[in-house]
């Protein structure tokens, strides 16, 4: 936090609280100084020379003079390797039991005194000095892990380690959680420590709220994901490689992972991007399925102030014909900012308000912070002290409850790494449900203690249960929000088992998709913040968190009408579409920016509602396969180097390519296309990829292109479902997956597969595996040839292959 942020925060919370913040920071530093003395002398260690090996299921153990390496190939193809006896479990990331080993993979002698494991999708080679190489079945190098190095203190303390890796010279790095400077991660240092950046952030700020040691590496040799399963504080240093020109040598890309403690263990998944994310999801758990209403437009503001203001905002949407599905209440609806309370003066009958809004199709979502006001008489504080033998709250190394400074004042922090505390905390959400809330928004859960200087977290010496293993905050910090999300999700599930919980969180760690999604946090208001918003969503999707979105418009400051509109148009194509702003950033409703912005924002909202069935399908596909809704343009062609460099556009599922406007004054922009034919969804003009084309980007909307042959479920003009089919290119075929909305419970939805093709002068749409004619409307679009416009469309009949009735799809209209 810089001086301006401190002044701003003191202005927001008051000078008295500002002084308490300074005292809290000093207490934190003093606690760490007493409990975490200087490390003193250390002894460096490397594995040494190989001395033997012991084959085992899926691989085995290779022994070295001063360490041992365990390798295991799982049934799903994921490779686990670890040093010094570390096992896959316990792990906060791995869902349930570790995957079973692949009995076909065998540890056997390799070359030059080393060892190897040959699996179906890759070969793992271990050198006699401890280097680990991952190669394709054809022998092409994907990743080389150099022998690691450890630093062991002569006295007490954790063992630090560093693992250096090399990747092909053409490789590009992605991932590492939520990073504003991306989605491609360039040369630099990336910290692994979930952090509140202090009220706002832009592309140059790192780290942010949600970090995780998950790298996705894309090269000509293939795509792989590497996850160092270690929640300790650390850092990752990346350096892209350089290919030699002429007779020059390639310089490989480099990665260095440094951890302050904890096990050195890693999972690697290889294959196409789709296969990599499917394997990662199989390991860490399927994404939670959001309720259908959570895929609609959402509105939030810190500072609604009263239920009259809430009604005014909702009425404003309705009177102007603007769709709205969800409204969020920030901490200002609490009584004195105390969690699980309501300010009865400003919200005298919150359940009645929630019922009224729900009758209009608008759900309420409540913010929940982890900090509990440390005051006897506070119901949550008093109840927390009675949990278990030691109470629910984090304690310091001397056994005293840790007290920090957050919005309610002096606060304590539940230890969510304790199963008893998670059960207790989850039961508290009954109060939120009784108030009429339909979902939960976790905030300030890195966790945060306001800081006058330095890191705004708990003392690193603070003690945690860590599922019974015990440890300090250096190990628990990064998984604190993940464990809180688990507590909230499981609590909601127990309280209302017939409904799918809706929960999203500002912070988290690997595997958080099991409990919900995330959002950008306090992204700064500016064009850089807009670009950072896209980076965060793409990067998080590649780390297995498919449901996310930014604060549309930026959190702080006052966006210009153009900036607000371009942000709004981007948000309309992201999984979580939510406006949100700070208490001192003014009103952010679309009509506050003038009639032109209102008109174009309405078009974006209407299009989002039209595509609602497509978002439902994408959420189901993410649950089944791990494929994110928002994908980099190289998703289907990672070998296309030009696509790997593209960071200003994205794929929405397989069918749509969205090219947002990220700079002021732009009315026409370049779009990099993957291979195949693509149609401008507004004009119907066709373009052929791969290559770069110029398309119009008027204020009325951002360029969106549809893949030829795609089948997209949409809402028709009358609100009824229909299929929008984009004609395949002549001589080619297409298709798509459709998963219908089965409601917000747990009913299984059928996956419908459609194929499209040309038959004479007509487009045929068939459902795989169907029987008889399928009712419903089909609208076929996209008759354009490159350089020509055929914006017309027509209705057709949908029929299944093998149907008894005579198929009669509409024929192509004459231009």
């Amino acid at each position: 936090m810089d001086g301006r942020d401190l002044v701003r925060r003191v202005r927001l919370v008051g000078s008295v609280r500002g002084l308490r913040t300074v005292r809290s920071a000093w207490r934190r530093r003093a606690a760490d100084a007493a409990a975490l003395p200087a490390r003193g002398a250390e002894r460096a260690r490397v594995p040494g020379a190989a001395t033997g090996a012991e084959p085992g299921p899926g691989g085995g153990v290779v022994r070295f003079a001063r360490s041992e390496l365990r390798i295991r190939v799982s049934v799903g193809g994921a490779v686990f390797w670890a040093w010094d006896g570390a096992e896959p479990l316990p792990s906060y990331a791995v869902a349930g039991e570790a995957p079973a080993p692949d009995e076909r993979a065998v540890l056997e002698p390799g070359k030059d005194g080393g060892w190897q494991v040959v699996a179906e999708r890759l070969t793992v080679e271990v050198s006699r000095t401890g280097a680990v190489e991952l190669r394709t079945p054809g022998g092409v190098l994907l990743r080389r892990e150099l022998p690691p190095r450890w630093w062991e203190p002569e006295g007490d303390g954790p063992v630090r380690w560093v693992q250096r890796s090399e990747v092909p010279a053409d490789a590009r790095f992605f991932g590492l959680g939520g990073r504003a400077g991306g989605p491609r991660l360039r040369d630099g240092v990336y910290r692994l420590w979930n952090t509140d950046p202090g009220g706002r952030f832009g592309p140059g700020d790192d780290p942010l709220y949600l970090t995780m040691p998950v790298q996705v590496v894309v090269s000509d040799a293939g795509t792989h994901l590497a996850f160092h399963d270690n929640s300790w504080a650390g850092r990752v240093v990346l350096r892209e490689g350089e290919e030699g020109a002429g007779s020059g040598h390639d310089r490989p890309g480099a990665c260095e992972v440094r951890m302050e403690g904890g096990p050195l263990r890693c999972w690697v998944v290889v294959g196409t991007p789709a296969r990599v994310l499917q394997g990662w999801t199989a390991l860490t758990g399927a994404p939670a399925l959001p309720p259908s209403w959570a895929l609609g437009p959402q509105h939030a503001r810190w500072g609604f102030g009263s239920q009259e203001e809430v009604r005014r905002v909702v009425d404003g949407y309705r009177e102007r014909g603007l769709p709205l599905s969800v409204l969020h209440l920030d901490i200002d609806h609490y009584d004195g900012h105390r969690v699980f309370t309501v300010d009865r003066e400003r919200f005298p009958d919150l359940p009645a308000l929630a019922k009224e809004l729900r009758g209009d199709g608008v759900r309420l979502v409540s913010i929940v912070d982890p900090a509990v006001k440390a005051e006897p008489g506070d119901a949550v504080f008093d109840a927390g002290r009675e949990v278990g033998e030691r109470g629910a709250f984090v304690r310091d190394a001397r056994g005293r409850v840790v007290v920090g400074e957050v919005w309610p004042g002096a606060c304590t922090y539940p230890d969510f790494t304790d199963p008893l505390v998670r059960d207790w905390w989850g039961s508290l959400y009954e109060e939120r449900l009784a108030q009429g809330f339909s979902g939960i928004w976790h905030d300030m859960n890195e966790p945060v203690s306001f800081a006058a200087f330095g890191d705004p977290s708990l003392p690193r010496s603070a003690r945690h249960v860590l599922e019974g293993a015990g440890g300090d905050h250096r190990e628990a910090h990064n998984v604190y929000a993940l464990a809180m999300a688990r507590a909230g999700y499981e609590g909601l599930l127990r309280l209302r088992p017939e409904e799918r919980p809706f929960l999203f969180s500002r912070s988290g760690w690997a595997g958080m998709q099991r409990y919900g999604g995330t959002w950008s946090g306090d992204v700064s208001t500016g064009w850089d913040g807009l670009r950072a918003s896209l980076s965060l969503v793409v990067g998080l999707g590649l780390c297995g968190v498919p449901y996310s979105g930014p604060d549309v418009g930026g959190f702080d400051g006052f966006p210009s009408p153009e900036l607000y509109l371009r942000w709004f148009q981007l948000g309309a194509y992201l999984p979580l579409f939510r406006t949100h702003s700070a208490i001192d950033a003014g009103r952010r409703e679309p009509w506050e920016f003038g009639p032109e912005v209102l008109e174009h924002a309405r078009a974006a909202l209407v299009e989002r509602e039209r595509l609602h069935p497509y978002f439902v399908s994408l959420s189901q596909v993410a649950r089944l396969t791990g494929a994110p809704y928002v994908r980099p343009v190289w998703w289907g062609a990672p070998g296309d180097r030009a696509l790997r460099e593209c960071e200003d556009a994205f794929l929405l599922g397989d069918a749509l390519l969205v090219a947002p406007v990220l700079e002021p004054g732009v009315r026409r922009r370049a779009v990099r296309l993957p291979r195949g034919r693509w149609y401008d969804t507004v004009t119907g003009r066709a373009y052929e990829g791969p290559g770069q084309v110029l398309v119009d980007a008027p204020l009325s909307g951002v360029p969106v292109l549809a893949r030829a042959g795609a089948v997209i479920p949409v809402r028709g003009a009358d609100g009824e479902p229909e299929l929008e089919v984009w004609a395949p290119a002549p001589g080619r075929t297409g298709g798509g997956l459709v998963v219908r909305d089965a409601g917000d419970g747990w009913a299984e939805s059928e996956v419908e597969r459609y194929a499209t093709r040309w038959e004479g002068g007509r487009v045929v749409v068939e459902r795989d595996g169907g029987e008889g004619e399928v009712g419903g409307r089909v609208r076929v679009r996209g008759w354009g040839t490159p350089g020509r416009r055929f914006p017309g469309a027509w209705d057709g009949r949908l029929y299944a292959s093998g149907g008894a009735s005579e198929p009669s799809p509409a024929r192509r209209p004459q231009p």
Side-chain angles (χ1 to χ4, degrees), residues 304-343:
F304 279 129
S306 68
Q307 63 184 44
E308 288 74 22
E309 176 66 4
V310 169
R311 285 195 179 97
R312 185 196 71 82
V313 171
V314 174
D315 289 345
Y317 273 85
R318 293 290 175 258
E319 292 167 1
R320 294 168 176 83
L322 304 177
L324 180 66
S325 295
V326 185
L327 189 136
H328 300 245
L329 295 188
D330 210 319
I331 55 173
D332 51 292
H333 87 278
Y334 281 139
D335 181 7
H337 295 158
R338 292 179 297 122
V339 68
F340 300 118
T341 65
V342 176
D343 186 328

Short mmCIF file of all heavy atoms in Angstrom, two decimals, residues 304-343:
data_model
loop_
_atom_site.label_atom_id
_atom_site.label_comp_id
_atom_site.label_asym_id
_atom_site.label_seq_id
_atom_site.Cartn_x
_atom_site.Cartn_y
_atom_site.Cartn_z
N PHE A 304 -25.33 1.18 -1.48
CA PHE A 304 -26.76 1.35 -1.78
C PHE A 304 -27.44 2.14 -0.66
O PHE A 304 -28.30 2.97 -0.90
CB PHE A 304 -27.45 -0.01 -1.94
CG PHE A 304 -27.24 -0.62 -3.29
CD1 PHE A 304 -26.80 -1.92 -3.42
CD2 PHE A 304 -27.49 0.10 -4.45
CE1 PHE A 304 -26.61 -2.50 -4.67
CE2 PHE A 304 -27.31 -0.46 -5.70
CZ PHE A 304 -26.87 -1.77 -5.80
N GLY A 305 -27.06 1.83 0.58
CA GLY A 305 -27.48 2.67 1.70
C GLY A 305 -28.82 2.32 2.31
O GLY A 305 -28.99 2.44 3.53
N SER A 306 -29.80 1.94 1.52
CA SER A 306 -31.13 1.67 2.06
C SER A 306 -31.91 0.80 1.08
O SER A 306 -31.56 0.69 -0.09
CB SER A 306 -31.89 2.98 2.30
OG SER A 306 -32.21 3.60 1.07
N GLN A 307 -33.00 0.21 1.59
CA GLN A 307 -33.81 -0.61 0.71
C GLN A 307 -34.58 0.25 -0.29
O GLN A 307 -34.95 -0.23 -1.36
CB GLN A 307 -34.74 -1.51 1.51
CG GLN A 307 -35.76 -0.83 2.37
CD GLN A 307 -36.54 -1.89 3.19
OE1 GLN A 307 -35.96 -2.82 3.75
NE2 GLN A 307 -37.85 -1.72 3.24
N GLU A 308 -34.80 1.54 0.03
CA GLU A 308 -35.42 2.44 -0.94
C GLU A 308 -34.50 2.63 -2.14
O GLU A 308 -34.97 2.67 -3.29
CB GLU A 308 -35.75 3.79 -0.30
CG GLU A 308 -36.91 3.77 0.68
CD GLU A 308 -36.55 3.12 2.00
OE1 GLU A 308 -35.33 3.05 2.31
OE2 GLU A 308 -37.46 2.65 2.71
N GLU A 309 -33.20 2.74 -1.90
CA GLU A 309 -32.26 2.88 -3.00
C GLU A 309 -32.19 1.58 -3.83
O GLU A 309 -32.08 1.62 -5.06
CB GLU A 309 -30.87 3.23 -2.47
CG GLU A 309 -29.77 3.31 -3.53
CD GLU A 309 -29.94 4.45 -4.52
OE1 GLU A 309 -30.88 5.25 -4.36
OE2 GLU A 309 -29.12 4.55 -5.46
N VAL A 310 -32.27 0.45 -3.16
CA VAL A 310 -32.31 -0.82 -3.89
C VAL A 310 -33.51 -0.85 -4.81
O VAL A 310 -33.41 -1.23 -5.99
CB VAL A 310 -32.33 -2.00 -2.90
CG1 VAL A 310 -32.63 -3.30 -3.62
CG2 VAL A 310 -30.99 -2.11 -2.17
N ARG A 311 -34.68 -0.47 -4.29
CA ARG A 311 -35.88 -0.46 -5.12
C ARG A 311 -35.74 0.51 -6.29
O ARG A 311 -36.17 0.24 -7.41
CB ARG A 311 -37.10 -0.08 -4.28
CG ARG A 311 -37.60 -1.18 -3.35
CD ARG A 311 -38.99 -0.85 -2.84
NE ARG A 311 -39.50 -1.90 -1.97
CZ ARG A 311 -39.43 -1.86 -0.64
NH1 ARG A 311 -38.86 -0.81 -0.04
NH2 ARG A 311 -39.92 -2.85 0.09
N ARG A 312 -35.11 1.66 -6.03
CA ARG A 312 -34.93 2.65 -7.09
C ARG A 312 -34.10 2.08 -8.23
O ARG A 312 -34.44 2.26 -9.41
CB ARG A 312 -34.25 3.90 -6.53
CG ARG A 312 -34.14 5.04 -7.56
CD ARG A 312 -33.13 6.09 -7.12
NE ARG A 312 -31.77 5.60 -7.20
CZ ARG A 312 -31.04 5.57 -8.32
NH1 ARG A 312 -31.56 5.97 -9.47
NH2 ARG A 312 -29.80 5.12 -8.31
N VAL A 313 -33.04 1.35 -7.88
CA VAL A 313 -32.17 0.78 -8.91
C VAL A 313 -32.92 -0.29 -9.69
O VAL A 313 -32.88 -0.31 -10.94
CB VAL A 313 -30.89 0.22 -8.27
CG1 VAL A 313 -30.09 -0.58 -9.30
CG2 VAL A 313 -30.04 1.35 -7.70
N VAL A 314 -33.58 -1.20 -8.99
CA VAL A 314 -34.30 -2.27 -9.68
C VAL A 314 -35.41 -1.69 -10.54
O VAL A 314 -35.61 -2.11 -11.70
CB VAL A 314 -34.86 -3.27 -8.66
CG1 VAL A 314 -35.74 -4.31 -9.36
CG2 VAL A 314 -33.73 -3.96 -7.92
N ASP A 315 -36.14 -0.70 -10.03
CA ASP A 315 -37.19 -0.06 -10.83
C ASP A 315 -36.61 0.62 -12.06
O ASP A 315 -37.22 0.63 -13.13
CB ASP A 315 -37.95 0.97 -9.98
CG ASP A 315 -38.84 0.32 -8.93
OD1 ASP A 315 -39.09 -0.90 -9.03
OD2 ASP A 315 -39.27 1.02 -7.99
N GLY A 316 -35.39 1.19 -11.89
CA GLY A 316 -34.74 1.83 -13.03
C GLY A 316 -34.46 0.85 -14.16
O GLY A 316 -34.62 1.17 -15.34
N TYR A 317 -34.02 -0.34 -13.80
CA TYR A 317 -33.82 -1.37 -14.82
C TYR A 317 -35.14 -1.74 -15.49
O TYR A 317 -35.23 -1.83 -16.72
CB TYR A 317 -33.20 -2.63 -14.18
CG TYR A 317 -31.68 -2.61 -14.12
CD1 TYR A 317 -31.01 -2.01 -13.06
CD2 TYR A 317 -30.92 -3.21 -15.12
CE1 TYR A 317 -29.62 -2.00 -12.99
CE2 TYR A 317 -29.54 -3.21 -15.06
CZ TYR A 317 -28.89 -2.60 -14.00
OH TYR A 317 -27.51 -2.60 -13.95
N ARG A 318 -36.17 -1.96 -14.69
CA ARG A 318 -37.45 -2.39 -15.24
C ARG A 318 -38.09 -1.32 -16.11
O ARG A 318 -38.61 -1.60 -17.19
CB ARG A 318 -38.39 -2.78 -14.09
CG ARG A 318 -37.95 -4.02 -13.33
CD ARG A 318 -38.10 -5.26 -14.19
NE ARG A 318 -37.56 -6.44 -13.50
CZ ARG A 318 -36.39 -6.99 -13.77
NH1 ARG A 318 -35.63 -6.48 -14.73
NH2 ARG A 318 -35.98 -8.06 -13.13
N GLU A 319 -38.08 -0.09 -15.65
CA GLU A 319 -38.72 0.99 -16.40
C GLU A 319 -38.06 1.22 -17.74
O GLU A 319 -38.71 1.67 -18.70
CB GLU A 319 -38.68 2.29 -15.57
CG GLU A 319 -39.56 2.24 -14.33
CD GLU A 319 -39.26 3.37 -13.37
OE1 GLU A 319 -38.36 4.20 -13.71
OE2 GLU A 319 -39.87 3.43 -12.30
N ARG A 320 -36.79 0.92 -17.83
CA ARG A 320 -36.05 1.13 -19.08
C ARG A 320 -35.94 -0.14 -19.91
O ARG A 320 -35.24 -0.16 -20.93
CB ARG A 320 -34.67 1.70 -18.76
CG ARG A 320 -34.73 3.10 -18.15
CD ARG A 320 -33.39 3.52 -17.57
NE ARG A 320 -33.41 4.88 -17.07
CZ ARG A 320 -33.86 5.23 -15.86
NH1 ARG A 320 -34.33 4.28 -15.03
NH2 ARG A 320 -33.86 6.49 -15.48
N GLY A 321 -36.61 -1.19 -19.46
CA GLY A 321 -36.59 -2.44 -20.22
C GLY A 321 -35.25 -3.13 -20.22
O GLY A 321 -34.90 -3.82 -21.20
N LEU A 322 -34.49 -2.99 -19.14
CA LEU A 322 -33.17 -3.60 -19.05
C LEU A 322 -33.24 -4.88 -18.23
O LEU A 322 -33.74 -4.88 -17.10
CB LEU A 322 -32.18 -2.63 -18.38
CG LEU A 322 -32.02 -1.25 -19.02
CD1 LEU A 322 -31.06 -0.40 -18.19
CD2 LEU A 322 -31.54 -1.36 -20.45
N PRO A 323 -32.76 -5.99 -18.75
CA PRO A 323 -32.77 -7.23 -17.98
C PRO A 323 -31.87 -7.13 -16.75
O PRO A 323 -30.80 -6.51 -16.78
CB PRO A 323 -32.22 -8.27 -18.96
CG PRO A 323 -32.37 -7.66 -20.32
CD PRO A 323 -32.24 -6.18 -20.12
N LEU A 324 -32.30 -7.73 -15.65
CA LEU A 324 -31.52 -7.80 -14.42
C LEU A 324 -31.91 -9.07 -13.69
O LEU A 324 -33.10 -9.33 -13.48
CB LEU A 324 -31.77 -6.58 -13.53
CG LEU A 324 -31.00 -6.56 -12.20
CD1 LEU A 324 -29.50 -6.42 -12.45
CD2 LEU A 324 -31.49 -5.42 -11.30
N SER A 325 -30.92 -9.87 -13.30
CA SER A 325 -31.18 -11.14 -12.62
C SER A 325 -30.81 -11.11 -11.14
O SER A 325 -31.44 -11.79 -10.33
CB SER A 325 -30.40 -12.28 -13.29
OG SER A 325 -30.85 -12.50 -14.61
N VAL A 326 -29.77 -10.34 -10.80
CA VAL A 326 -29.22 -10.41 -9.44
C VAL A 326 -28.82 -9.01 -8.99
O VAL A 326 -28.31 -8.22 -9.79
CB VAL A 326 -27.99 -11.34 -9.38
CG1 VAL A 326 -27.50 -11.50 -7.94
CG2 VAL A 326 -28.29 -12.71 -9.99
N LEU A 327 -29.05 -8.74 -7.70
CA LEU A 327 -28.55 -7.51 -7.08
C LEU A 327 -27.79 -7.89 -5.82
O LEU A 327 -28.27 -8.70 -5.02
CB LEU A 327 -29.68 -6.55 -6.77
CG LEU A 327 -29.23 -5.15 -6.33
CD1 LEU A 327 -30.05 -4.07 -7.00
CD2 LEU A 327 -29.31 -5.00 -4.82
N HIS A 328 -26.59 -7.32 -5.64
CA HIS A 328 -25.71 -7.66 -4.53
C HIS A 328 -25.73 -6.56 -3.47
O HIS A 328 -25.66 -5.37 -3.81
CB HIS A 328 -24.27 -7.83 -5.02
CG HIS A 328 -24.10 -8.91 -6.04
ND1 HIS A 328 -23.36 -10.04 -5.81
CD2 HIS A 328 -24.57 -9.05 -7.31
CE1 HIS A 328 -23.37 -10.82 -6.87
NE2 HIS A 328 -24.11 -10.23 -7.80
N LEU A 329 -25.76 -6.96 -2.20
CA LEU A 329 -25.66 -6.01 -1.09
C LEU A 329 -24.28 -6.11 -0.48
O LEU A 329 -23.86 -7.19 -0.04
CB LEU A 329 -26.74 -6.29 -0.04
CG LEU A 329 -28.19 -6.09 -0.49
CD1 LEU A 329 -29.13 -6.22 0.71
CD2 LEU A 329 -28.39 -4.76 -1.19
N ASP A 330 -23.59 -4.98 -0.42
CA ASP A 330 -22.24 -4.89 0.13
C ASP A 330 -22.33 -4.69 1.65
O ASP A 330 -23.40 -4.71 2.24
CB ASP A 330 -21.48 -3.76 -0.56
CG ASP A 330 -19.98 -4.01 -0.65
OD1 ASP A 330 -19.41 -4.50 0.34
OD2 ASP A 330 -19.39 -3.71 -1.70
N ILE A 331 -21.17 -4.41 2.26
CA ILE A 331 -21.12 -4.35 3.73
C ILE A 331 -21.94 -3.23 4.33
O ILE A 331 -22.20 -3.25 5.53
CB ILE A 331 -19.65 -4.22 4.22
CG1 ILE A 331 -18.97 -3.01 3.56
CG2 ILE A 331 -18.88 -5.49 3.94
CD1 ILE A 331 -17.60 -2.73 4.12
N ASP A 332 -22.37 -2.26 3.53
CA ASP A 332 -23.16 -1.17 4.10
C ASP A 332 -24.54 -1.60 4.55
O ASP A 332 -25.23 -0.84 5.23
CB ASP A 332 -23.26 -0.01 3.09
CG ASP A 332 -23.74 -0.47 1.74
OD1 ASP A 332 -22.99 -1.18 1.06
OD2 ASP A 332 -24.87 -0.11 1.34
N HIS A 333 -24.99 -2.80 4.19
CA HIS A 333 -26.29 -3.25 4.69
C HIS A 333 -26.17 -3.93 6.06
O HIS A 333 -27.18 -4.23 6.69
CB HIS A 333 -26.96 -4.21 3.69
CG HIS A 333 -26.57 -5.64 3.83
ND1 HIS A 333 -25.42 -6.16 3.31
CD2 HIS A 333 -27.20 -6.68 4.44
CE1 HIS A 333 -25.35 -7.45 3.57
NE2 HIS A 333 -26.42 -7.80 4.26
N TYR A 334 -24.93 -4.16 6.52
CA TYR A 334 -24.72 -4.74 7.84
C TYR A 334 -24.91 -3.69 8.93
O TYR A 334 -24.80 -2.47 8.69
CB TYR A 334 -23.31 -5.31 7.95
CG TYR A 334 -23.10 -6.66 7.31
CD1 TYR A 334 -21.94 -6.93 6.60
CD2 TYR A 334 -24.04 -7.68 7.45
CE1 TYR A 334 -21.73 -8.18 6.02
CE2 TYR A 334 -23.85 -8.92 6.87
CZ TYR A 334 -22.69 -9.16 6.17
OH TYR A 334 -22.48 -10.40 5.60
N ASP A 335 -25.11 -4.17 10.13
CA ASP A 335 -25.18 -3.29 11.31
C ASP A 335 -23.76 -3.09 11.82
O ASP A 335 -23.17 -4.00 12.39
CB ASP A 335 -26.05 -3.94 12.38
CG ASP A 335 -26.19 -3.08 13.64
OD1 ASP A 335 -25.72 -1.92 13.62
OD2 ASP A 335 -26.76 -3.57 14.63
N GLY A 336 -23.22 -1.90 11.57
CA GLY A 336 -21.85 -1.63 11.99
C GLY A 336 -20.83 -2.50 11.30
O GLY A 336 -19.76 -2.77 11.87
N HIS A 337 -21.11 -2.93 10.08
CA HIS A 337 -20.21 -3.76 9.29
C HIS A 337 -19.99 -5.14 9.91
O HIS A 337 -19.09 -5.87 9.48
CB HIS A 337 -18.84 -3.08 9.11
CG HIS A 337 -18.91 -1.83 8.31
ND1 HIS A 337 -17.94 -0.85 8.40
CD2 HIS A 337 -19.82 -1.38 7.42
CE1 HIS A 337 -18.25 0.16 7.59
NE2 HIS A 337 -19.39 -0.15 6.98
N ARG A 338 -20.82 -5.54 10.87
CA ARG A 338 -20.66 -6.83 11.54
C ARG A 338 -21.33 -7.93 10.73
O ARG A 338 -22.51 -7.81 10.38
CB ARG A 338 -21.23 -6.78 12.95
CG ARG A 338 -20.44 -5.89 13.90
CD ARG A 338 -21.03 -5.84 15.29
NE ARG A 338 -22.37 -5.27 15.26
CZ ARG A 338 -23.45 -5.90 15.70
NH1 ARG A 338 -23.35 -7.13 16.17
NH2 ARG A 338 -24.62 -5.32 15.67
N VAL A 339 -20.57 -8.99 10.46
CA VAL A 339 -21.04 -10.07 9.61
C VAL A 339 -22.27 -10.74 10.21
O VAL A 339 -22.42 -10.83 11.43
CB VAL A 339 -19.91 -11.09 9.37
CG1 VAL A 339 -19.56 -11.85 10.65
CG2 VAL A 339 -20.26 -12.06 8.25
N PHE A 340 -23.18 -11.21 9.33
CA PHE A 340 -24.42 -11.88 9.70
C PHE A 340 -25.33 -10.99 10.55
O PHE A 340 -25.94 -11.44 11.52
CB PHE A 340 -24.14 -13.21 10.42
CG PHE A 340 -23.35 -14.19 9.59
CD1 PHE A 340 -22.09 -14.62 10.00
CD2 PHE A 340 -23.85 -14.67 8.39
CE1 PHE A 340 -21.36 -15.51 9.23
CE2 PHE A 340 -23.12 -15.57 7.61
CZ PHE A 340 -21.88 -15.98 8.03
N THR A 341 -25.39 -9.72 10.18
CA THR A 341 -26.33 -8.78 10.81
C THR A 341 -27.00 -7.97 9.72
O THR A 341 -26.61 -8.03 8.54
CB THR A 341 -25.62 -7.83 11.80
OG1 THR A 341 -24.71 -6.99 11.06
CG2 THR A 341 -24.86 -8.60 12.88
N VAL A 342 -28.01 -7.17 10.11
CA VAL A 342 -28.70 -6.26 9.19
C VAL A 342 -28.94 -4.94 9.90
O VAL A 342 -29.34 -4.91 11.06
CB VAL A 342 -30.05 -6.86 8.72
CG1 VAL A 342 -30.81 -5.86 7.85
CG2 VAL A 342 -29.85 -8.16 7.96
N ASP A 343 -28.67 -3.85 9.21
CA ASP A 343 -29.00 -2.52 9.72
C ASP A 343 -30.51 -2.32 9.61
O ASP A 343 -31.04 -2.09 8.52
CB ASP A 343 -28.26 -1.45 8.91
CG ASP A 343 -28.43 -0.06 9.48
OD1 ASP A 343 -29.49 0.23 10.06
OD2 ASP A 343 -27.50 0.75 9.33
#
